[in-house]
Amino acid sequence: MSQKRIAIFGSTGSIGTQALDVIRANPDLFSAEILTAQSNDELLIKQALYFNPNVVVIGDEKKYLAVKEALSKTDVKVFAGEAALAEAASMDCYDMMLAAIVGYAGLRPTLNAIELGKPIALANKETLVVAGDIVMRQAAEKRIPIIPVDSEHSAIFQCLVGEGRNKIEKIILTASGGPFLGKKPNFLVNVKKDHALQHPNWSMGAKITIDSATLMNKGLEMIEAKWLFNLDAHQIQVVVHPQSIIHSMVMFNDGSIKAQMGMPDMKLPIQYALAFPQRIANDFPRYDFKKPNNLSFEEPDLKTFRNLALATDALYKGGNMPCILNAANEIAVFAFLRNRIGFLDMTEMVEQTMAKVHFIEQPTLQEYFDTDAEARDFAASLVHM
Ligand code: NAD
Ligand code: MG
C-alpha cells in the first residue's frame, strides 16, 4: 500500500490526537497532509512541527499570527477562519478526510471533501444527524465510501464485510449506559458538569461525554446508523451493555447475529477506517477470556434518559427533525458545560425546540442550514439567567 495522505479536520481533539498516534506508529502507511483546530494553537503548532503537513487551519482568527509565526521556518501553509476551513477541504492535496470536528461545524468541510471525490473516515456523527440524506446521496453520486469511525458503526461495518446483498433484519447498537446508569431523575436533577464528564469506559471530548451521560449520544448514533447502513427506523435497536466489549451487532434475516468485540479503544476503529480494507497489526491491549468476565445486557431506561426517547422520535419523524434535535442539543450541552442550566434542563430544551421549530419533510441543504440557525436561536432564548 502506498502512503495515504490524510486530512485531519479536528486534529487537536480526542479523535484527532488518537488518529495522529496511529499515523505516527505507521509512517509507511500514512502521512498527515492537512491539520485543523478551532482554538488550541499550541497543540496545532506542535503537531505541525512534528508531521510537517501541507496545510494547517486555525479556526480562531485571533490565533493566526501565533501559528504563522511559529511555523515561519517551515513550508507549512497557514490559514485561519471558518471559510478557510471549508476551502481547505476543497484543496486537492490529500487522499482521505478524517472528519473529527465536533458538532454541526463539521458538516461544511465534509460536504466539500465529498464534492472533491475524497473518501471520508467519519467520526463527526452530527454531520449525518443534520443532513444524512444529502451527505449519503452526494457520496453515492461521487462513488466515494463513508467509513465510520464511531465504534458502534465501525463494529456494524466490520460485521457487514463479506455479506454482499444479504439482508439485515436489524442492528443492535450497544450503549455503555454512561456514568449514571441505574440512576433516577431525583439523582440526575442535581448532577454537575464535573461528575457528568467522568465516563466509565471511554475518554472523549467534552460534548460527546455529556451526550453519553444523557444517552443523547446513543440517539444520535441511531440516526447516524440509519443513514450509514440505509436502514428503516424500526430496524435499529439499542441495548445497554455496561462493559463496552461488544461494540455492536447485526442480526441477519436468518436470525444469525454477528458481533464485533474488543477492548474499548478508539484507536482501533480509527485505524480500521484509515486502512480499510486492510487491518494493521498493533500491540494495543487484548481482551482476555481467561479473566473473570460477565458481559451483560439490559434495556435502556427511556423514562429517565428522555433524550434517547426524543432522538428516537426524531429518527421516526425524519425530515428536519433530527437537525432540530441536534442544534438544540448542541446549545443545551454548551449551556450545561458553562453551568448555565441543569442536567435535566438539557432535555427540556431539546423537547421544547422540537415542538417549536417548523417541520419540513424533505429539506434542501439550505433548509437544513436555516433549520439549524432557527433551532439554535430558539434553544438559546430558553437560557435566561
Ligand atoms: P473534541 O472536542 O475532543 O475535539 C473536537 C475537534 O474539533 C478539535 O480539534 C477542535 O479544535 C475542533 N473544533 C471544535 N469546534 C470547532 C468549530 N466550530 N470549527 C472547527 N473546528 C472545531 O471532540 P472529539 O471527542 O474528538 O469528537 C469529535 C467527533 O467525533 C464528534 O462528532 C464525536 O461525536 C465523534 N466521536 C468521538 C469519539 C471519541 O472517543 N472522542 C467517539 C466516537 C465519535
Ligand atoms: Mg459511539
Side-chain angles (χ1 to χ4, degrees):
M1 188 159 101
S2 65
Q3 206 188 34
K4 205 187 259 183
R5 299 167 301 169
I6 312 293
I8 305 187
F9 279 66
S11 67
T12 54
S14 163
I15 293 289
T17 52
Q18 293 182 83
L20 286 172
D21 290 344
V22 169
I23 294 176
R24 193 183 290 110
N26 298 280
D28 299 343
L29 299 182
F30 308 116
S31 67
E33 197 66 12
I34 301 180
L35 300 176
T36 87
Q38 180 58 19
S39 53
N40 191 344
D41 53 333
E42 282 176 25
L43 182 54
L44 183 67
I45 290 164
K46 249 192 222 155
Q47 293 176 338
L49 290 173
Y50 183 91
F51 289 98
N52 192 32
N54 187 349
V55 172
V56 301
V57 184
I58 180 86
D60 182 350
E61 297 183 41
K62 292 192 292 294
K63 308 258 170 97
Y64 171 75
L65 281 180
V67 179
K68 179 85 188 149
E69 176 84 18
L71 299 179
S72 60
K73 292 200 177 67
T74 72
D75 52 12
V76 179
K77 300 184 196 80
V78 181
F79 301 101
E82 198 182 327
L85 191 71
E87 283 161 24
S90 299
M91 293 175 68
D92 198 357
C93 64
Y94 62 97
D95 302 311
M96 176 181 243
M97 170 189 273
L98 172 63
I101 287 176
V102 59
Y104 172 85
L107 174 61
R108 189 28 99 190
T110 305
L111 281 172
N112 284 1
I114 294 171
E115 182 61 34
L116 193 61
K118 301 301 178 188
I120 310 290
L122 187 80
N124 177 256
K125 63 192 80 183
E126 294 91 346
T127 287
L128 289 183
V129 174
V130 171
D133 53 343
I134 291 177
V135 172
M136 294 311 289
R137 192 166 63 237
Q138 294 193 353
E141 277 166 14
K142 293 283 177 181
R143 295 174 186 276
I144 56 118
I146 309 269
I147 304 177
V149 168
D150 212 348
S151 57
E152 297 77 1
H153 305 75
S154 176
I156 292 162
F157 187 90
Q158 292 180 55
C159 290
L160 292 175
V161 169
E163 292 292 344
R165 290 178 178 275
N166 289 335
K167 291 236 170 356
I168 298 173
E169 189 161 301
K170 64 176 174 182
I171 61 159
I172 299 117
L173 286 177
T174 50
S176 69
F180 305 130
L181 177 60
K183 301 290 192 224
K184 295 291 169 198
N186 61 359
F187 175 90
L188 295 177
V189 72
N190 294 317
V191 158
K192 293 285 176 285
K193 117 182 172 187
D194 290 344
H195 194 181
L197 282 172
Q198 311 285 327
H199 194 280
N201 304 344
W202 303 94
S203 152
M204 310 176 285
K207 196 252 174 185
I208 183 176
T209 305
I210 300 301
D211 284 345
S212 299
T214 64
L215 291 204
M216 179 58 93
N217 183 51
K218 212 46 56 181
L220 300 177
E221 289 183 353
M222 292 175 83
I223 300 166
E224 179 186 16
K226 170 193 160 80
W227 295 118
L228 277 172
F229 306 114
N230 194 19
L231 302 169
D232 288 334
H234 71 266
Q235 290 176 289
I236 304 168
Q237 184 188 343
V238 171
V239 60
V240 174
H241 166 49
Q243 300 80 17
S244 299
I245 297 297
I246 293 185
H247 298 309
S248 278
M249 301 175 256
V250 178
M251 183 186 286
F252 292 93
N253 61 351
D254 59 355
S256 179
I257 301 170
K258 276 188 176 178
Q260 188 266 341
M261 304 172 67
M263 299 300 284
D265 180 349
M266 283 309 295
K267 284 215 268 294
L268 195 55
I270 291 169
Q271 73 163 45
Y272 185 83
L274 296 184
F276 178 80
Q278 273 166 284
R279 289 185 183 273
I280 306 175
N282 61 41
D283 55 7
F284 305 164
R286 265 48 175 166
Y287 182 69
D288 183 359
F289 281 94
K290 287 192 199 125
K291 292 207 177 124
N293 48 48
N294 186 11
L295 301 186
S296 62
F297 306 92
E298 59 190 271
E299 284 275 293
D301 175 359
L302 293 178
K303 289 209 175 73
T304 302
F305 297 93
R306 289 177 52 238
N307 271 0
L308 183 54
L310 290 174
T312 306
D313 289 349
L315 165 75
Y316 275 86
K317 182 98 181 170
N320 63 344
M321 197 54 87
C323 175
I324 298 170
L325 168 101
N326 179 71
N329 182 58
E330 286 193 26
I331 297 292
V333 172
F334 184 88
F336 176 73
L337 285 172
R338 274 149 197 79
N339 300 314
R340 300 285 302 276
I341 63 174
F343 191 83
L344 294 177
D345 297 334
M346 289 191 277
T347 306
E348 289 298 319
M349 215 161 161
V350 172
E351 187 170 38
Q352 288 186 38
T353 309
M354 286 170 74
K356 178 76 180 185
V357 176
H358 82 281
F359 179 69
I360 307 173
E361 182 108 39
Q362 285 223 309
T364 62
L365 185 58
Q366 186 56 49
E367 284 171 327
Y368 279 126
F369 294 157
D370 296 344
T371 297
D372 176 80
E374 189 185 340
R376 270 168 208 275
D377 285 349
F378 180 76
S381 76
L382 298 173
V383 194
H384 10 247
M385 264 184 276

XYZ file of all heavy atoms in Angstrom, residues 94-147:
404
model
N -4.926 15.652 -0.749
C -4.990 14.543 0.205
C -5.809 13.395 -0.389
O -6.483 13.562 -1.406
C -5.598 15.019 1.531
C -7.025 15.528 1.449
C -8.098 14.698 1.757
C -7.318 16.842 1.062
C -9.407 15.160 1.681
C -8.617 17.309 0.993
C -9.663 16.467 1.304
O -10.955 16.912 1.232
N -5.723 12.218 0.260
C -6.408 11.036 -0.259
C -7.651 10.676 0.536
O -8.543 9.993 0.031
C -5.459 9.832 -0.238
C -4.214 10.097 -1.059
O -4.358 10.550 -2.214
O -3.098 9.880 -0.539
N -7.688 11.071 1.806
C -8.839 10.733 2.650
C -8.999 11.802 3.717
O -8.006 12.280 4.266
C -8.622 9.368 3.316
C -9.722 8.972 4.295
S -9.392 7.375 5.070
C -10.789 6.440 4.442
N -10.268 12.172 3.990
C -10.515 13.097 5.102
C -10.919 12.297 6.335
O -11.781 11.424 6.253
C -11.628 14.082 4.780
C -12.064 14.879 6.030
S -13.543 15.880 5.822
C -12.838 17.374 5.174
N -10.297 12.607 7.464
C -10.820 12.130 8.739
C -11.648 13.282 9.306
O -11.099 14.324 9.675
C -9.699 11.749 9.709
C -10.182 11.422 11.132
C -11.090 10.194 11.152
C -9.004 11.213 12.072
N -12.970 13.102 9.324
C -13.873 14.153 9.794
C -13.999 14.019 11.302
O -14.776 13.208 11.807
C -15.237 14.018 9.112
N -13.191 14.803 12.040
C -13.121 14.663 13.502
C -13.400 15.975 14.222
O -13.027 16.153 15.377
C -11.754 14.113 13.915
N -14.070 16.900 13.503
C -14.564 18.115 14.168
C -15.791 17.696 14.970
O -16.483 16.747 14.606
C -14.891 19.194 13.112
C -13.590 19.758 12.541
C -15.784 20.290 13.664
C -13.773 20.767 11.425
N -16.072 18.394 16.060
C -17.274 18.067 16.829
C -18.418 18.988 16.395
O -18.212 20.174 16.151
C -17.013 18.168 18.356
C -16.550 19.551 18.769
C -18.245 17.759 19.144
N -19.598 18.395 16.238
C -20.804 19.180 16.010
C -21.058 19.569 14.562
O -20.366 19.141 13.632
N -22.081 20.432 14.428
C -22.548 20.913 13.127
C -21.422 21.535 12.304
O -21.446 21.480 11.061
C -23.658 21.935 13.409
C -24.166 22.691 12.234
C -25.164 22.152 11.421
C -23.691 23.965 11.943
C -25.653 22.867 10.339
C -24.171 24.685 10.873
C -25.149 24.133 10.065
O -25.626 24.845 9.011
N -20.423 22.113 12.967
C -19.311 22.780 12.270
C -18.582 21.828 11.324
O -17.895 22.268 10.402
C -18.323 23.364 13.284
N -18.746 20.519 11.518
C -18.060 19.562 10.653
C -18.756 19.320 9.328
O -18.181 18.719 8.415
N -19.997 19.775 9.206
C -20.799 19.443 8.012
C -20.202 20.023 6.733
O -20.012 19.307 5.750
C -22.245 19.927 8.214
C -23.183 19.791 7.009
C -23.342 18.330 6.595
C -24.561 20.395 7.322
N -19.931 21.324 6.735
C -19.493 22.011 5.511
C -18.190 21.431 4.958
O -18.135 21.039 3.772
C -19.410 23.507 5.821
C -19.192 24.470 4.715
C -19.675 24.101 3.372
N -20.921 24.642 2.923
C -21.557 24.231 1.806
N -21.085 23.256 1.066
N -22.683 24.758 1.431
N -17.135 21.341 5.776
C -15.891 20.766 5.237
C -16.097 19.342 4.700
O -15.520 18.984 3.666
C -14.946 20.750 6.443
C -15.514 21.685 7.444
C -16.966 21.824 7.163
N -16.924 18.551 5.373
C -17.124 17.176 4.920
C -17.831 17.156 3.563
O -17.458 16.389 2.668
C -17.924 16.389 5.978
O -17.235 16.494 7.223
C -18.049 14.922 5.599
N -18.830 18.016 3.395
C -19.511 18.098 2.097
C -18.534 18.509 0.998
O -18.595 17.992 -0.125
C -20.668 19.100 2.170
C -21.957 18.596 2.839
C -22.939 19.746 3.024
C -22.597 17.463 2.026
N -17.624 19.424 1.331
C -16.647 19.858 0.325
C -15.705 18.718 -0.057
O -15.328 18.583 -1.221
C -15.842 21.054 0.844
C -16.659 22.335 0.803
O -17.825 22.325 0.406
N -16.061 23.434 1.218
N -15.315 17.911 0.929
C -14.430 16.776 0.631
C -15.145 15.771 -0.275
O -14.551 15.228 -1.212
C -13.992 16.100 1.926
N -16.431 15.554 -0.013
C -17.207 14.629 -0.850
C -17.298 15.177 -2.271
O -17.100 14.453 -3.255
C -18.612 14.413 -0.250
C -18.498 13.694 1.099
C -19.497 13.626 -1.215
C -19.796 13.620 1.887
N -17.572 16.472 -2.368
C -17.666 17.138 -3.661
C -16.383 16.934 -4.473
O -16.407 16.732 -5.681
C -17.929 18.635 -3.405
C -18.103 19.498 -4.633
C -19.297 19.067 -5.474
O -20.293 18.617 -4.869
O -19.221 19.167 -6.719
N -15.260 16.919 -3.753
C -13.951 16.738 -4.391
C -13.681 15.255 -4.686
O -12.689 14.918 -5.315
C -12.883 17.290 -3.434
C -11.468 17.530 -3.911
C -11.436 18.555 -5.037
C -10.596 18.032 -2.746
N -14.560 14.379 -4.225
C -14.401 12.958 -4.502
C -13.465 12.243 -3.542
O -12.890 11.208 -3.884
N -13.312 12.774 -2.320
C -12.409 12.147 -1.352
C -13.161 11.217 -0.410
O -14.193 11.609 0.165
C -11.708 13.222 -0.509
C -10.883 14.204 -1.310
C -9.796 13.509 -2.112
C -9.014 14.524 -2.938
N -8.077 13.862 -3.865
N -12.654 10.001 -0.210
C -13.249 9.109 0.787
C -13.215 9.762 2.173
O -12.292 10.511 2.481
C -12.346 7.880 0.762
C -11.640 7.942 -0.540
C -11.511 9.392 -0.889
N -14.222 9.423 2.994
C -14.333 10.029 4.319
C -14.241 8.945 5.387
O -14.962 7.948 5.320
C -15.709 10.729 4.502
C -16.041 11.671 3.329
C -15.782 11.446 5.857
C -15.214 12.914 3.260
N -13.366 9.156 6.366
C -13.430 8.381 7.611
C -14.200 9.274 8.575
O -13.746 10.351 8.944
C -12.019 8.109 8.135
N -15.409 8.849 8.937
C -16.334 9.766 9.612
C -16.433 9.513 11.109
O -16.970 8.503 11.548
C -17.731 9.637 8.997
C -18.738 10.668 9.526
C -18.546 12.011 8.833
C -20.171 10.194 9.343
N -15.889 10.457 11.893
C -16.127 10.433 13.341
C -17.288 11.365 13.678
O -18.073 11.098 14.579
C -14.870 10.864 14.099
N -17.384 12.457 12.923
C -18.363 13.521 13.214
C -19.794 13.062 12.895
O -20.328 13.288 11.808
C -17.988 14.761 12.387
C -18.984 15.885 12.557
O -19.806 16.133 11.677
N -18.946 16.561 13.672
N -20.427 12.424 13.881
C -21.767 11.868 13.665
C -22.805 12.938 13.389
O -23.795 12.700 12.708
C -22.183 11.000 14.861
C -22.306 11.744 16.167
C -22.420 10.775 17.352
C -21.075 10.231 17.766
N -21.064 9.257 18.822
N -22.576 14.159 13.946
C -23.571 15.225 13.779
C -23.804 15.533 12.298
O -24.906 15.928 11.907
C -23.142 16.487 14.534
C -23.116 16.332 16.067
C -21.756 15.876 16.623
O -20.895 15.416 15.830
O -21.548 15.976 17.854
N -22.779 15.355 11.460
C -22.919 15.564 10.017
C -24.074 14.725 9.447
O -24.875 15.223 8.660
C -21.590 15.177 9.320
O -20.635 16.190 9.609
C -21.744 15.059 7.829
N -24.152 13.475 9.858
C -25.215 12.605 9.341
C -26.537 12.856 10.051
O -27.606 12.682 9.473
C -24.824 11.128 9.471
C -23.717 10.667 8.526
C -23.455 9.172 8.693
C -24.055 10.967 7.069
N -26.481 13.270 11.306
C -27.720 13.569 12.025
C -28.400 14.779 11.377
O -29.610 14.794 11.169
C -27.452 13.834 13.522
C -28.721 14.292 14.238
C -26.893 12.572 14.178
N -27.611 15.774 11.013
C -28.170 17.013 10.463
C -28.681 16.804 9.038
O -29.796 17.196 8.710
C -27.116 18.146 10.492
C -27.595 19.373 9.729
C -26.780 18.509 11.933
N -27.871 16.212 8.188
C -28.207 16.181 6.756
C -27.802 14.856 6.125
O -27.237 14.811 5.037
C -27.509 17.342 6.041
N -28.125 13.759 6.798
C -27.671 12.435 6.364
C -28.106 12.073 4.959
O -27.344 11.463 4.206
N -29.337 12.452 4.587
C -29.818 12.082 3.250
C -28.961 12.734 2.175
O -28.522 12.081 1.221
C -31.306 12.438 3.073
C -31.620 13.899 3.407
O -30.799 14.569 4.068
O -32.700 14.370 2.998
N -28.665 14.030 2.353
C -27.897 14.758 1.340
C -26.451 14.269 1.311
O -25.884 14.023 0.250
C -27.982 16.277 1.609
C -29.419 16.732 1.311
C -26.952 17.048 0.792
C -29.694 18.190 1.581
N -25.859 14.071 2.491
C -24.467 13.614 2.567
C -24.325 12.248 1.886
O -23.423 12.046 1.053
C -24.004 13.529 4.042
C -22.642 12.863 4.149
C -23.971 14.927 4.671
N -25.230 11.318 2.195
C -25.097 9.970 1.628
C -25.387 9.975 0.122
O -24.758 9.246 -0.645
C -26.030 8.982 2.338
C -25.678 8.720 3.796
S -23.940 8.322 4.154
C -23.783 6.676 3.478
N -26.342 10.812 -0.301
C -26.659 10.884 -1.736
C -25.462 11.432 -2.513
O -25.091 10.891 -3.552
C -27.904 11.746 -1.951
C -28.458 11.634 -3.359
C -29.860 12.209 -3.477
N -29.896 13.624 -3.201
C -30.657 14.192 -2.252
N -31.440 13.452 -1.489
N -30.641 15.498 -2.064
N -24.857 12.490 -1.978
C -23.708 13.074 -2.694
C -22.533 12.106 -2.719
O -21.816 12.016 -3.708
C -23.324 14.418 -2.069
C -24.445 15.443 -2.278
C -24.036 16.875 -1.980
O -22.949 17.123 -1.487
N -24.913 17.815 -2.281
N -22.354 11.362 -1.634
C -21.266 10.373 -1.604
C -21.517 9.274 -2.631
O -20.596 8.829 -3.319
C -21.121 9.789 -0.206
N -22.779 8.857 -2.748
C -23.115 7.811 -3.722
C -22.890 8.326 -5.145
O -22.344 7.606 -5.995
C -24.561 7.354 -3.530
N -23.278 9.566 -5.387
C -23.081 10.149 -6.732
C -21.607 10.203 -7.083
O -21.220 9.943 -8.214
C -23.676 11.562 -6.794
C -25.169 11.550 -7.068
C -25.833 12.901 -6.794
O -25.098 13.908 -6.646
O -27.078 12.926 -6.722
N -20.772 10.521 -6.107
C -19.329 10.602 -6.352
C -18.656 9.242 -6.213
O -17.433 9.129 -6.359
C -18.685 11.579 -5.355
C -19.105 13.024 -5.556
C -18.370 13.619 -6.732
C -18.857 15.045 -6.979
N -18.180 15.651 -8.123
N -19.432 8.236 -5.837
C -18.907 6.874 -5.629
C -17.756 6.847 -4.635
O -16.726 6.194 -4.865
C -18.443 6.256 -6.957
C -19.571 6.053 -7.917
C -19.073 5.571 -9.261
N -20.168 5.523 -10.207
C -21.013 4.501 -10.307
N -20.869 3.444 -9.554
N -22.006 4.545 -11.181
N -17.921 7.582 -3.540
C -16.876 7.532 -2.522
C -17.441 6.906 -1.245
O -18.616 7.071 -0.926
C -16.277 8.930 -2.226
C -17.373 9.911 -1.826
C -15.457 9.455 -3.356
C -17.190 10.416 -0.459
N -16.609 6.140 -0.543
C -17.084 5.500 0.677
C -17.087 6.456 1.868
O -16.217 7.324 1.972
C -16.057 4.386 0.907
C -14.805 4.905 0.281
C -15.218 5.780 -0.877
N -18.078 6.283 2.735
C -18.072 6.945 4.046
C -17.812 5.822 5.042
O -18.687 4.973 5.256
C -19.429 7.596 4.370
C -19.916 8.488 3.225
C -19.377 8.331 5.709
C -19.508 9.912 3.284
N -16.632 5.787 5.609
C -16.267 4.679 6.502
C -16.383 5.161 7.945
O -15.747 6.139 8.325
C -14.840 4.190 6.199
C -14.763 3.813 4.714
C -14.479 2.992 7.084
C -13.407 3.388 4.261
